[in-house]
Amino acid sequence: MGALFRSEEMTLCQLFLQSEAAYACVSELGELGLVQFRDLNPDVSAFQRKFVNEVRRCDEMERKLRFLEKEIKKDGIPMLDTGDNPDAPAPREMIDLEATFEKLENEMKEVNSNSEALKRNYLELTELKHILRKTQNFFDEKEQNVAEEAQHAFESDRSQIIERQPMQLGFVAGVILRERIPAFEKMLWRACRGNVFLKQAEIETPLEDPLTGDQVNKSVFIIFFQGDQLKSRVKKICEGFRATLYPCPETPAERREMAIGVMTRIEDLNTVLGQTQDHRHRVLVAAAKNIKVWFIKVKKIKAIYHTLNMFNLDVTQKCLIAECWCPVADLDKIQLALRRGTEQSGSSVPSILNRMTTRQEPPTYNRVNKFTTAFQGIVDAYGVANYREVNPTPYTVITFPFLFAVMFGDAGHGIIMFLFALFLVLREKQLAAAKIDDEIFKMLFGGRYIILLMGIFSIYTGVIYNDWFSKSINIFGSAWIADINRYTANGSCGAGYAECVNLSNTKDVQLNPANASEFTGKVYPFGVDPIWQLSTNKITLLNSYKMKLSVILGVGQMLFGIFLSFFNHRHFKKPINIFCEFIPHIIFLMCIFGYLNILILWKWATPYYVQNSAAAPSLLLGLINMFLFKYADENDTNVPVSSKLFYSGQKPIQFMLVALAAICVPWIMLVKPYILYKRNKSKTARRALMSEANGATPNDQDVIHHPEQVHQENIPEEEFQIGEVVIIQVIHTIEFCLGCISNTASYLRLWALSLAHAELSDVLWSMVFRVGLSINGWAGAAVLIFVFIFWSVLTLAVLLVMEGLSAFLHAIRLHWIEFQNKFYTGMGYKFVPFSFDQILETSHIEAE
């Protein structure tokens, strides 16, 4: 089988790169993305490797770029992303990039420092402006109150003027955060024992914090006190609450003069701040045009040097030696990339690529495209395939959406799912370019082709079930309505009918196939007859049909999985597994559940009509009696019909099938360990004879030399343990035999979820939509609009999203457990090539 059905053939290669050409060659291999390098220095720390300084320089450049990116985002400047993917810069260009980034960082830091100082100065002047304005209002109110009191005292008693003259009080003025005013006032009152007077007023416009850029609300305060002791105490309290104190002149003329000076300085600062912001904006706009490209260049440089740290130096210190895994089919492309790298570096010595042979298991590399990526992801989520093991993905492309559709099975819901996926597929380029960060959307967009196929298969199974939003469509004409006059809408009977059914007054219809006046005996051409949706006994039909269909599909998929194991055994040249596992597995499964499938199909094909349906034997009792060797006497009239035989000669055939299934158990369990034991015994005897002939001890021959290995690897052969082999084979036998039963029963979830989805859809229609349809007139039309919206929301949320997710998870389980465990080991490790595209994609995801 080709690469589509199993992983690519891989080879271990050794690279010899000249020191001056190594950078360019690795750069070309990174653009190609077909080489996975091995670390030849696993015991050397990252700080002791040859190119650690270059990696540190790249880290420093990334830090500077992140700083610039943060500043650009802070100003809301869009970063130009043209989708360009520049090549990795030459090593000499690294110095130019460092100089550019250093200049931009210093310039931005200087601009930020100056801007912060200007903003801090501007904030202080703005706060001082508000202080001068508010304190002037305080003093104006105070002088007015003093004048009124003096006038009142002069008129009442001249002798009290001198006694009522105000005392000389000191004061401090400042600004504090508005939310700290209550606690500030309380602390002043308690610390000063009520001997201070606090006056405060809010600043109407929020002020900008120069450090954070946030808008903060502040208030102006002035505190009057008497004495130096209180003054010291007040200043300490202001310092504790982080209030800013400003000098405030005592006379109105001085305050007015200071205010004029403050306003002049504020205007000058506004001009300087505007020029500073313009310069900052110009610098950031210029950087925003190139920052995406700079990021790509730096990440490529860093990836190259990180890869070079995995190489070894030869004794001459002029050649780098590397080992890598690469696909055999792409060796020519790799050779061409190495040639291009050598030419770009100007080296006269070509790079050398040698294939190596090794007993190490290569990585698994499955080629995918945008259609198969999601399906391969489902398979790899269970476990990465062993090297060259059969890849289930090509079969999963069909079986996975089909089994999902068997459980989902509604043509109306399938159409909605199909249209949604079709939109994602048709607009995939625009949606991919938009780079939407929503995790749910990313998941749906990544699985758009899975959803598309699930929708198509759901339409197909919905047509088979004749289920459209829990209703049916009569395309070919029902075989149950022999004469439409039999079922009238007004209650009158048609000619020739003694009794009739009034459908307008009848909520439930029970179909009776034995009534010749109701059933014509014809078969609906495709799918289920639509009249069954109106019948109260439709569950009886659908239960039997879907349950038997689930068993047929399940056994068929498990049998296909066992056949795939044959291709694994043949490819890995293990004939013992074909004889001791594949053949008895097929016999065991076919003798029990394959035979059950044949009985199901035989019973469907046998002309059991309604008139003689009571004579049909039971499948369940037949299977049970098959293992009990209990058969009914055909001449005994007291034996239930369900226990009778299906066909003549059933007894010896079923006895032979049970015997074959029983023989398969020890066949699987014991034959393989016995053959391995005899083979190991013969090998041991042959080694003993060889050692005697060569005059060596047997222990000297306990190594196997691979004839094609470049480096002589002496790998000791594992000691054969018969007990371990027997235990493993016993576990495998029990797992397979019991698994055939449990896995077959597990496929009944196809029947269960299909019925649950259909019934839930029917309940949603009956309890929601029927309410709107039952109201007549214009009121009914208005109600129907709201009912339709409510029904649509529930349909999307419950039936499509929740039920769809449930069927999706069950389909995954059927593939992982019931299907893949018949042939799929999933113990390999994934091929992770050195690829710039993957590195950039991963860094983009981490940045989000």
Side-chain angles (χ1 to χ4, degrees):
M1 290 186 289
L4 177 64
F5 300 101
R6 62 173 75 250
S7 61
E8 288 282 342
E9 183 181 356
M10 307 294 291
T11 182
L12 182 63
C13 294
Q14 192 173 41
L15 292 176
F16 294 91
L17 307 175
Q18 293 299 311
S19 298
E20 64 271 14
Y23 182 93
C25 290
V26 172
S27 175
E28 289 295 328
L29 293 177
E31 298 289 351
L32 188 62
L34 291 173
V35 172
Q36 177 179 335
F37 290 100
R38 297 176 59 192
D39 190 358
L40 301 182
N41 307 298
D43 299 328
V44 180
S45 68
F47 303 101
Q48 296 175 338
R49 304 203 177 194
K50 179 176 177 58
F51 300 97
V52 63
N53 292 327
E54 285 78 3
V55 174
R56 285 176 174 172
R57 289 166 62 189
C58 292
D59 289 335
E60 183 65 16
M61 286 192 291
E62 282 188 328
R63 183 194 63 78
K64 294 174 181 177
L65 287 176
R66 286 194 299 268
F67 168 74
L68 292 175
E69 184 183 33
K70 179 182 177 182
E71 296 298 320
I72 291 171
K73 290 181 178 179
K74 184 187 297 184
D75 280 24
I77 300 173
M79 290 179 286
L80 183 62
D81 188 3
T82 59
D84 293 339
N85 187 10
D87 295 334
R92 59 181 174 272
E93 295 181 26
M94 189 174 176
I95 300 175
D96 298 334
L97 289 176
E98 287 179 315
T100 302
F101 301 157
E102 182 72 21
K103 178 182 176 183
L104 286 173
E105 184 189 30
N106 292 336
E107 188 172 3
M108 284 307 305
K109 285 184 176 180
E110 184 179 358
V111 170
N112 289 343
S113 177
N114 294 336
S115 178
E116 182 180 340
L118 291 173
K119 287 182 179 180
R120 186 181 298 109
N121 196 1
Y122 179 81
L123 175 65
E124 293 174 354
L125 291 175
T126 304
E127 290 179 346
L128 181 56
K129 178 188 72 174
H130 287 288
I131 286 175
L132 294 174
R133 184 177 300 169
K134 299 295 183 182
T135 53
Q136 183 63 38
N137 295 336
F138 296 156
F139 286 116
D140 290 343
E141 293 177 3
K142 177 182 177 183
E143 291 175 0
Q144 183 179 358
N145 293 335
V146 171
E148 291 177 356
E149 291 180 1
Q151 180 66 26
H152 179 70
F154 179 78
E155 294 175 354
S156 60
D157 190 354
R158 291 178 179 267
S159 62
Q160 297 180 4
I161 293 177
I162 299 177
E163 297 178 3
R164 297 177 64 87
Q165 284 183 349
M167 296 181 295
Q168 294 296 323
L169 299 177
F171 66 91
V172 293
V175 176
I176 191 173
L177 290 175
R178 191 176 300 173
E179 60 267 18
R180 296 178 180 174
I181 285 291
F184 180 62
E185 187 175 1
K186 187 180 294 184
M187 178 60 70
L188 282 172
W189 176 264
R190 292 180 177 177
C192 300
R193 303 176 183 244
N195 293 320
V196 296
F197 177 73
L198 172 67
K199 189 74 174 178
Q200 60 92 12
E202 296 179 355
I203 300 176
E204 292 79 6
T205 57
L207 304 177
E208 181 182 354
D209 191 331
L211 295 178
T212 62
D214 298 335
Q215 299 293 322
V216 293
N217 295 312
K218 294 190 175 182
S219 296
V220 172
F221 66 86
I222 183 169
I223 305 173
F224 295 94
F225 52 83
Q226 186 179 21
D228 294 337
Q229 186 176 2
L230 284 177
K231 180 179 180 180
S232 175
R233 191 174 300 176
V234 167
K235 285 186 175 181
K236 288 182 180 179
I237 294 174
C238 292
E239 183 181 353
F241 280 86
R242 295 184 181 178
T244 306
L245 301 180
Y246 292 94
C248 183
E250 296 184 0
T251 64
E254 292 176 348
R255 287 195 294 269
R256 190 176 302 109
E257 183 180 356
M258 180 179 284
I260 294 174
V262 168
M263 294 301 297
T264 303
R265 292 174 61 188
I266 289 177
E267 291 176 0
D268 295 339
L269 274 177
N270 277 328
T271 303
V272 177
L273 274 173
Q275 295 173 352
T276 304
Q277 290 299 325
D278 290 341
H279 176 66
R280 170 190 169 89
H281 186 77
R282 286 194 300 270
V283 173
L284 292 178
V285 167
K289 295 179 181 179
N290 301 312
I291 192 166
K292 292 291 185 181
V293 175
W294 288 339
F295 264 119
I296 294 175
K297 289 183 177 181
V298 172
K299 289 184 182 300
K300 287 186 176 182
I301 297 173
K302 182 179 178 181
I304 292 172
Y305 282 118
H306 178 74
T307 303
L308 290 174
N309 276 331
M310 302 168 69
F311 297 177
N312 270 341
L313 279 171
D314 69 340
V315 292
T316 63
Q317 301 290 314
K318 294 182 179 180
C319 179
L320 290 172
I321 304 172
E323 292 182 6
C324 60
W325 294 105
C326 53
V328 174
D330 296 319
L331 285 177
D332 292 339
K333 296 181 181 179
I334 297 171
Q335 291 276 20
L336 184 60
L338 292 174
R339 192 175 302 118
R340 287 197 305 267
T342 304
E343 293 174 356
Q344 291 175 8
S345 65
S347 175
S348 59
V349 181
S351 301
I352 301 174
L353 175 67
N354 290 332
R355 292 184 62 178
M356 304 172 61
T357 50
T358 178
R359 301 184 70 175
Q360 296 182 8
E361 184 176 359
T364 301
Y365 176 40
N366 294 302
R367 296 187 190 270
V368 294
N369 51 39
K370 63 180 181 180
F371 177 75
T372 60
T373 297
F375 294 98
Q376 188 67 55
I378 291 177
V379 173
D380 290 344
Y382 174 79
V384 178
N386 286 12
Y387 175 64
R388 301 291 287 167
E389 189 177 30
V390 170
N391 183 18
T393 301
Y395 319 107
T396 304
V397 169
I398 300 299
T399 58
F400 181 85
F402 177 72
L403 291 184
F404 169 87
V406 171
M407 294 180 280
F408 197 69
D410 190 300
H413 299 156
I415 290 174
I416 297 175
M417 186 178 295
F418 170 76
L419 293 177
F420 172 72
L422 185 64
F423 168 78
L424 296 179
V425 170
L426 295 178
R427 302 294 300 274
E428 62 181 11
K429 291 184 179 180
Q430 295 88 331
L431 294 173
K435 296 181 180 179
I436 302 174
D437 295 337
D438 186 72
E439 290 294 332
I440 296 178
F441 175 80
K442 286 182 180 179
M443 179 181 62
L444 295 175
F445 183 73
R448 59 193 179 279
Y449 289 101
I450 297 180
I451 301 174
L452 185 71
L453 289 180
M454 291 193 304
I456 293 174
F457 279 104
S458 295
I459 295 173
Y460 170 75
T461 55
V463 172
I464 292 291
Y465 299 155
N466 208 336
D467 196 347
W468 304 71
F469 297 111
S470 79
K471 299 302 161 189
S472 59
I473 296 179
N474 191 353
I475 301 175
F476 304 103
S478 175
W480 285 84
I481 305 178
D483 190 338
I484 194 63
N485 293 326
R486 168 109 179 121
Y487 299 94
T488 63
N490 56 10
S492 60
C493 295
Y497 293 102
E499 56 183 53
C500 57
V501 178
N502 185 352
L503 292 181
S504 62
N505 297 325
T506 304
K507 295 182 179 179
D508 302 318
V509 175
Q510 185 167 352
L511 299 180
N512 182 13
N515 191 340
S517 62
E518 295 183 8
F519 182 55
T520 63
K522 298 179 182 179
V523 179
Y524 195 71
F526 190 81
V528 178
D529 196 300
I531 199 172
W532 281 103
Q533 287 290 350
L534 303 175
S535 173
T536 57
N537 57 338
K538 67 177 179 180
I539 294 295
T540 305
L541 169 75
L542 297 178
N543 256 342
S544 175
Y545 167 67
K546 293 183 178 181
M547 179 173 61
K548 294 180 177 64
L549 184 65
S550 300
V551 175
I552 293 174
L553 294 176
V555 174
Q557 190 178 30
M558 289 192 297
L559 185 63
F560 178 63
I562 296 177
F563 273 108
L564 290 180
S565 68
F566 167 78
F567 295 102
N568 277 336
H569 301 326
R570 188 182 68 173
H571 176 80
F572 295 115
K573 296 179 175 57
K574 295 181 178 180
I576 186 174
N577 287 354
I578 296 177
F579 177 73
C580 299
E581 292 182 0
F582 169 71
I583 295 176
H585 286 178
I586 290 289
I587 295 174
F588 184 86
L589 185 64
M590 289 302 298
C591 286
I592 300 176
F593 298 103
Y595 177 68
L596 177 61
N597 279 6
I598 294 174
L599 291 182
I600 293 174
L601 297 175
W602 178 88
K603 191 173 181 180
W604 278 349
T606 303
Y608 284 114
Y609 297 109
V610 178
Q611 291 75 12
N612 64 340
S613 61
S618 170
L619 290 169
L620 182 60
L621 291 178
L623 186 65
I624 294 174
N625 292 333
M626 173 181 172
F627 289 95
L628 296 178
F629 302 105
K630 181 180 178 182
Y631 300 99
D633 188 358
E634 294 289 335
N635 299 322
D636 189 356
T637 58
N638 296 325
V639 175
V641 176
S642 59
S643 299
K644 292 186 177 181
L645 301 179
F646 286 84
Y647 54 90
S648 59
Q650 181 177 345
K651 294 181 182 178
I653 290 177
Q654 293 191 163
F655 180 83
M656 179 186 66
L657 293 176
V658 174
L660 284 175
I663 291 173
C664 288
V665 176
W667 186 355
I668 301 172
M669 185 183 300
L670 302 176
V671 175
K672 182 178 178 179
Y674 176 74
I675 294 176
L676 292 177
Y677 172 73
K678 296 293 291 182
R679 183 181 297 176
N680 180 74
K681 188 175 181 181
S682 175
K683 187 184 297 183
T684 304
R686 188 164 56 250
R687 287 178 182 173
L689 291 175
M690 292 176 60
S691 62
E692 291 178 1
N694 296 332
T697 61
N699 291 333
D700 295 334
Q701 306 294 328
D702 286 345
V703 295
I704 298 178
H705 299 287
H706 201 284
E708 299 180 354
Q709 283 184 324
V710 176
H711 305 290
Q712 294 295 329
E713 296 183 8
N714 295 330
I715 302 177
E717 186 179 8
E718 294 183 3
E719 184 180 357
F720 179 78
Q721 297 288 343
I722 182 63
E724 182 179 349
V725 173
V726 171
I727 291 174
I728 292 176
Q729 200 64 20
V730 168
I731 294 174
H732 169 74
T733 305
I734 296 174
E735 181 183 8
F736 175 78
C737 296
L738 296 182
C740 286
I741 302 173
S742 62
N743 293 347
T744 304
S746 181
Y747 275 97
L748 293 178
R749 71 186 67 235
L750 299 174
W751 155 55
L753 265 74
S754 175
L755 285 178
H757 184 85
E759 289 302 308
L760 188 58
S761 180
D762 189 31
V763 168
L764 192 61
W765 179 281
S766 302
M767 298 186 64
V768 178
F769 217 126
R770 188 175 292 178
V771 175
L773 295 175
S774 62
I775 303 175
N776 299 322
W778 291 101
V783 172
L784 186 60
I785 295 174
F786 294 100
V787 169
F788 175 76
I789 295 174
F790 184 60
W791 174 81
S792 300
V793 171
L794 290 180
T795 298
L796 292 174
V798 178
L799 295 180
L800 263 74
V801 177
M802 295 178 61
E803 281 288 306
L805 181 60
S806 175
F808 183 87
L809 295 176
H810 282 285
I812 288 179
R813 183 249 153 75
L814 289 177
H815 279 77
W816 283 355
I817 307 302
E818 278 69 31
F819 173 54
Q820 291 180 190
N821 73 347
K822 300 297 184 296
F823 66 96
Y824 190 72
T825 306
M827 298 293 289
Y829 64 101
K830 199 171 183 178
F831 175 63
V832 184
F834 171 63
S835 171
F836 287 146
D837 291 339
Q838 292 186 7
I839 293 171
L840 295 176
E841 183 180 356
T842 303
S843 63
H844 174 72
I845 294 173
E846 292 176 352
E848 294 175 354

mmCIF file of all heavy atoms in Angstrom, residues 466 473-482 519-520 522-531:
data_model
loop_
_atom_site.group_PDB
_atom_site.id
_atom_site.type_symbol
_atom_site.label_atom_id
_atom_site.label_comp_id
_atom_site.label_asym_id
_atom_site.label_seq_id
_atom_site.Cartn_x
_atom_site.Cartn_y
_atom_site.Cartn_z
ATOM 1 N N ASN A 466 -36.663 8.950 6.770
ATOM 2 C CA ASN A 466 -37.759 9.859 6.408
ATOM 3 C C ASN A 466 -38.068 10.778 7.594
ATOM 4 O O ASN A 466 -39.220 10.918 8.018
ATOM 5 C CB ASN A 466 -39.006 9.102 5.975
ATOM 6 C CG ASN A 466 -39.840 9.916 5.014
ATOM 7 O OD1 ASN A 466 -39.766 11.148 4.987
ATOM 8 N ND2 ASN A 466 -40.653 9.224 4.222
ATOM 9 N N ILE A 473 -41.737 13.406 4.746
ATOM 10 C CA ILE A 473 -42.138 13.948 3.449
ATOM 11 C C ILE A 473 -42.591 12.784 2.577
ATOM 12 O O ILE A 473 -41.858 11.801 2.404
ATOM 13 C CB ILE A 473 -40.975 14.707 2.774
ATOM 14 C CG1 ILE A 473 -40.588 15.924 3.625
ATOM 15 C CG2 ILE A 473 -41.362 15.138 1.368
ATOM 16 C CD1 ILE A 473 -39.441 16.719 3.042
ATOM 17 N N ASN A 474 -43.776 12.910 2.047
ATOM 18 C CA ASN A 474 -44.355 11.852 1.211
ATOM 19 C C ASN A 474 -44.001 12.145 -0.246
ATOM 20 O O ASN A 474 -44.684 12.910 -0.927
ATOM 21 C CB ASN A 474 -45.874 11.795 1.403
ATOM 22 C CG ASN A 474 -46.472 10.550 0.776
ATOM 23 O OD1 ASN A 474 -45.794 9.800 0.086
ATOM 24 N ND2 ASN A 474 -47.758 10.334 1.013
ATOM 25 N N ILE A 475 -42.921 11.536 -0.715
ATOM 26 C CA ILE A 475 -42.448 11.793 -2.072
ATOM 27 C C ILE A 475 -43.051 10.801 -3.068
ATOM 28 O O ILE A 475 -43.539 11.187 -4.126
ATOM 29 C CB ILE A 475 -40.910 11.718 -2.118
ATOM 30 C CG1 ILE A 475 -40.306 12.745 -1.149
ATOM 31 C CG2 ILE A 475 -40.389 11.950 -3.537
ATOM 32 C CD1 ILE A 475 -38.799 12.663 -1.050
ATOM 33 N N PHE A 476 -43.049 9.525 -2.705
ATOM 34 C CA PHE A 476 -43.474 8.486 -3.648
ATOM 35 C C PHE A 476 -44.894 7.994 -3.406
ATOM 36 O O PHE A 476 -45.373 7.131 -4.124
ATOM 37 C CB PHE A 476 -42.513 7.296 -3.560
ATOM 38 C CG PHE A 476 -41.080 7.673 -3.791
ATOM 39 C CD1 PHE A 476 -40.194 7.780 -2.732
ATOM 40 C CD2 PHE A 476 -40.616 7.930 -5.069
ATOM 41 C CE1 PHE A 476 -38.865 8.119 -2.938
ATOM 42 C CE2 PHE A 476 -39.290 8.277 -5.283
ATOM 43 C CZ PHE A 476 -38.423 8.371 -4.226
ATOM 44 N N GLY A 477 -45.550 8.512 -2.399
ATOM 45 C CA GLY A 477 -46.903 8.049 -2.100
ATOM 46 C C GLY A 477 -46.889 6.897 -1.118
ATOM 47 O O GLY A 477 -46.203 5.888 -1.330
ATOM 48 N N SER A 478 -47.646 7.058 -0.025
ATOM 49 C CA SER A 478 -47.643 6.046 1.023
ATOM 50 C C SER A 478 -48.370 4.788 0.570
ATOM 51 O O SER A 478 -49.395 4.851 -0.100
ATOM 52 C CB SER A 478 -48.296 6.607 2.289
ATOM 53 O OG SER A 478 -48.392 5.607 3.272
ATOM 54 N N ALA A 479 -47.810 3.647 0.946
ATOM 55 C CA ALA A 479 -48.453 2.364 0.646
ATOM 56 C C ALA A 479 -49.542 2.034 1.638
ATOM 57 O O ALA A 479 -50.226 1.025 1.485
ATOM 58 C CB ALA A 479 -47.404 1.252 0.634
ATOM 59 N N TRP A 480 -49.748 2.882 2.633
ATOM 60 C CA TRP A 480 -50.739 2.582 3.670
ATOM 61 C C TRP A 480 -52.090 3.210 3.373
ATOM 62 O O TRP A 480 -53.076 2.799 3.962
ATOM 63 C CB TRP A 480 -50.247 3.085 5.020
ATOM 64 C CG TRP A 480 -49.189 2.206 5.582
ATOM 65 C CD1 TRP A 480 -47.877 2.243 5.309
ATOM 66 C CD2 TRP A 480 -49.372 1.106 6.473
ATOM 67 N NE1 TRP A 480 -47.202 1.261 5.970
ATOM 68 C CE2 TRP A 480 -48.108 0.545 6.707
ATOM 69 C CE3 TRP A 480 -50.485 0.552 7.094
ATOM 70 C CZ2 TRP A 480 -47.926 -0.547 7.540
ATOM 71 C CZ3 TRP A 480 -50.298 -0.530 7.941
ATOM 72 C CH2 TRP A 480 -49.040 -1.064 8.154
ATOM 73 N N ILE A 481 -52.174 4.167 2.518
ATOM 74 C CA ILE A 481 -53.459 4.797 2.229
ATOM 75 C C ILE A 481 -53.946 4.245 0.900
ATOM 76 O O ILE A 481 -53.610 4.753 -0.174
ATOM 77 C CB ILE A 481 -53.334 6.327 2.178
ATOM 78 C CG1 ILE A 481 -52.711 6.824 3.477
ATOM 79 C CG2 ILE A 481 -54.664 6.979 1.933
ATOM 80 C CD1 ILE A 481 -52.502 8.311 3.513
ATOM 81 N N ALA A 482 -54.709 3.164 0.961
ATOM 82 C CA ALA A 482 -55.203 2.535 -0.261
ATOM 83 C C ALA A 482 -56.172 3.447 -0.983
ATOM 84 O O ALA A 482 -56.184 3.534 -2.198
ATOM 85 C CB ALA A 482 -55.890 1.204 0.070
ATOM 86 N N PHE A 519 -53.446 -1.283 4.301
ATOM 87 C CA PHE A 519 -52.109 -1.509 3.753
ATOM 88 C C PHE A 519 -52.223 -2.209 2.401
ATOM 89 O O PHE A 519 -52.848 -3.273 2.292
ATOM 90 C CB PHE A 519 -51.292 -2.363 4.727
ATOM 91 C CG PHE A 519 -49.884 -2.626 4.278
ATOM 92 C CD1 PHE A 519 -49.039 -1.573 3.954
ATOM 93 C CD2 PHE A 519 -49.399 -3.925 4.154
ATOM 94 C CE1 PHE A 519 -47.740 -1.801 3.543
ATOM 95 C CE2 PHE A 519 -48.100 -4.147 3.754
ATOM 96 C CZ PHE A 519 -47.271 -3.085 3.448
ATOM 97 N N THR A 520 -51.635 -1.603 1.381
ATOM 98 C CA THR A 520 -51.742 -2.165 0.029
ATOM 99 C C THR A 520 -50.794 -3.324 -0.197
ATOM 100 O O THR A 520 -50.933 -4.051 -1.170
ATOM 101 C CB THR A 520 -51.432 -1.071 -1.002
ATOM 102 O OG1 THR A 520 -50.080 -0.634 -0.817
ATOM 103 C CG2 THR A 520 -52.382 0.103 -0.850
ATOM 104 N N LYS A 522 -47.617 -2.874 -0.860
ATOM 105 C CA LYS A 522 -46.482 -2.358 -1.611
ATOM 106 C C LYS A 522 -45.399 -1.853 -0.654
ATOM 107 O O LYS A 522 -45.665 -1.575 0.506
ATOM 108 C CB LYS A 522 -46.927 -1.238 -2.544
ATOM 109 C CG LYS A 522 -47.939 -1.684 -3.596
ATOM 110 C CD LYS A 522 -48.354 -0.507 -4.465
ATOM 111 C CE LYS A 522 -49.386 -0.913 -5.493
ATOM 112 N NZ LYS A 522 -49.816 0.231 -6.330
ATOM 113 N N VAL A 523 -44.214 -1.713 -1.193
ATOM 114 C CA VAL A 523 -43.076 -1.240 -0.399
ATOM 115 C C VAL A 523 -42.753 0.177 -0.830
ATOM 116 O O VAL A 523 -42.698 0.476 -2.033
ATOM 117 C CB VAL A 523 -41.851 -2.154 -0.598
ATOM 118 C CG1 VAL A 523 -40.665 -1.638 0.205
ATOM 119 C CG2 VAL A 523 -42.200 -3.578 -0.190
ATOM 120 N N TYR A 524 -42.512 1.052 0.171
ATOM 121 C CA TYR A 524 -42.107 2.427 -0.140
ATOM 122 C C TYR A 524 -40.756 2.372 -0.847
ATOM 123 O O TYR A 524 -39.820 1.718 -0.372
ATOM 124 C CB TYR A 524 -42.023 3.234 1.139
ATOM 125 C CG TYR A 524 -41.958 4.725 0.936
ATOM 126 C CD1 TYR A 524 -43.078 5.425 0.496
ATOM 127 C CD2 TYR A 524 -40.782 5.424 1.162
ATOM 128 C CE1 TYR A 524 -43.027 6.799 0.307
ATOM 129 C CE2 TYR A 524 -40.717 6.797 0.975
ATOM 130 C CZ TYR A 524 -41.850 7.481 0.542
ATOM 131 O OH TYR A 524 -41.814 8.831 0.343
ATOM 132 N N PRO A 525 -40.584 3.054 -1.981
ATOM 133 C CA PRO A 525 -39.381 2.857 -2.814
ATOM 134 C C PRO A 525 -38.068 3.159 -2.111
ATOM 135 O O PRO A 525 -37.073 2.473 -2.329
ATOM 136 C CB PRO A 525 -39.608 3.828 -3.986
ATOM 137 C CG PRO A 525 -41.085 4.025 -4.029
ATOM 138 C CD PRO A 525 -41.558 3.940 -2.615
ATOM 139 N N PHE A 526 -38.023 4.191 -1.246
ATOM 140 C CA PHE A 526 -36.743 4.583 -0.655
ATOM 141 C C PHE A 526 -36.993 5.101 0.751
ATOM 142 O O PHE A 526 -37.665 6.101 0.948
ATOM 143 C CB PHE A 526 -36.071 5.682 -1.492
ATOM 144 C CG PHE A 526 -34.664 5.975 -1.083
ATOM 145 C CD1 PHE A 526 -33.625 5.182 -1.512
ATOM 146 C CD2 PHE A 526 -34.379 7.043 -0.239
ATOM 147 C CE1 PHE A 526 -32.318 5.447 -1.136
ATOM 148 C CE2 PHE A 526 -33.079 7.312 0.143
ATOM 149 C CZ PHE A 526 -32.048 6.502 -0.303
ATOM 150 N N GLY A 527 -36.431 4.386 1.728
ATOM 151 C CA GLY A 527 -36.570 4.820 3.111
ATOM 152 C C GLY A 527 -37.840 4.306 3.763
ATOM 153 O O GLY A 527 -38.511 3.378 3.286
ATOM 154 N N VAL A 528 -38.175 4.944 4.891
ATOM 155 C CA VAL A 528 -39.330 4.544 5.686
ATOM 156 C C VAL A 528 -40.574 5.241 5.157
ATOM 157 O O VAL A 528 -40.531 6.417 4.780
ATOM 158 C CB VAL A 528 -39.096 4.902 7.174
ATOM 159 C CG1 VAL A 528 -40.314 4.543 8.018
ATOM 160 C CG2 VAL A 528 -37.858 4.192 7.698
ATOM 161 N N ASP A 529 -41.683 4.502 5.137
ATOM 162 C CA ASP A 529 -42.956 5.070 4.690
ATOM 163 C C ASP A 529 -43.318 6.269 5.572
ATOM 164 O O ASP A 529 -43.248 6.196 6.798
ATOM 165 C CB ASP A 529 -44.053 4.010 4.791
ATOM 166 C CG ASP A 529 -45.279 4.389 3.989
ATOM 167 O OD1 ASP A 529 -45.853 5.454 4.289
ATOM 168 O OD2 ASP A 529 -45.648 3.640 3.078
ATOM 169 N N PRO A 530 -43.685 7.415 4.978
ATOM 170 C CA PRO A 530 -43.916 8.630 5.775
ATOM 171 C C PRO A 530 -45.059 8.521 6.767
ATOM 172 O O PRO A 530 -45.082 9.252 7.749
ATOM 173 C CB PRO A 530 -44.214 9.692 4.714
ATOM 174 C CG PRO A 530 -44.655 8.935 3.515
ATOM 175 C CD PRO A 530 -43.889 7.653 3.533
ATOM 176 N N ILE A 531 -46.005 7.616 6.544
ATOM 177 C CA ILE A 531 -47.153 7.553 7.451
ATOM 178 C C ILE A 531 -46.766 7.031 8.827
ATOM 179 O O ILE A 531 -47.484 7.222 9.810
ATOM 180 C CB ILE A 531 -48.276 6.688 6.833
ATOM 181 C CG1 ILE A 531 -49.615 7.009 7.527
ATOM 182 C CG2 ILE A 531 -47.954 5.214 6.964
ATOM 183 C CD1 ILE A 531 -50.794 6.367 6.877
#
